[in-house]
Each structure stands twice: as C-alpha cells, then as structure tokens.
Amino acid sequence: MSTLTAVWTEDKIRSIIRKLDEKTGLNGTALPIKLASHGNALGYYQYVGEKKFGFKPNFFNDPNTKEAEAVDVIRHEYAHYYVDATNI
C-alpha cells in the first residue's frame, strides 16, 4: 500500500484523472471506473462500446505497491484515453 494513500478508491483514482484532465482539457473524469480483480492487466481503458477505465484493486492496495507505481498505471491508461479522445 502506498504511503500517501491508505486505500485506493474510485474517488482517489478519479482525483488523479481530474488532474490529467486539467492539463489536457479533456473530460476523463466523466467516464466510469471499474475496480475488478480478474484478468492479468493492472488497468485498462475500454474504447469499444461503453468507454471506461478499469483498475485492479489488488495491485493498487498491495502493501508493496508504491504511490508512484499506482499513479503511473493511471497515467498509462489515461494516455490510451487521450489517443482515443483526440483521434491521434
């Protein structure tokens, strides 16, 4: 678990996305966020059908996961959203 965040929640993840939205002018905070423990991915951005973010709470709330590592996963998935939203 990270030192700055006791438990990663949807609200905490959304606050990171909000900061990225402020930099890009996009609205990723409007997308649903799914916290699910299935599959191998630490996170995903779903662009087919309902657009949404998904994150693996087992990774985010693991005592060995550093805050920066969790934020990097969120940024990575936001980058996928950015590419989709800007059509680049």
Side-chain angles (χ1 to χ4, degrees), residues 4-77:
L4 298 176
T5 303
V7 175
W8 281 90
T9 63
E10 181 180 332
D11 288 339
K12 176 64 178 174
I13 292 169
R14 199 169 296 285
S15 73
I16 301 297
I17 293 172
R18 186 174 298 109
K19 290 176 185 176
L20 295 167
D21 282 345
E22 290 171 4
K23 293 178 181 187
T24 64
L26 297 175
N27 192 19
T29 55
L31 299 179
I33 294 175
K34 182 175 182 180
L35 299 175
S37 296
H38 59 80
N40 294 326
L42 301 178
Y44 65 87
Y45 167 67
Q46 179 177 302
Y47 60 92
V48 176
E50 179 188 20
K51 296 176 189 287
K52 65 183 170 185
F53 292 105
F55 298 98
K56 193 171 209 171
N58 295 357
F59 168 77
F60 278 73
N61 294 317
D62 185 303
N64 297 313
T65 300
K66 295 176 177 63
E67 178 98 359
E69 293 171 326
V71 171
D72 281 349
V73 171
I74 297 167
R75 288 177 179 164
H76 176 90
E77 299 312 326

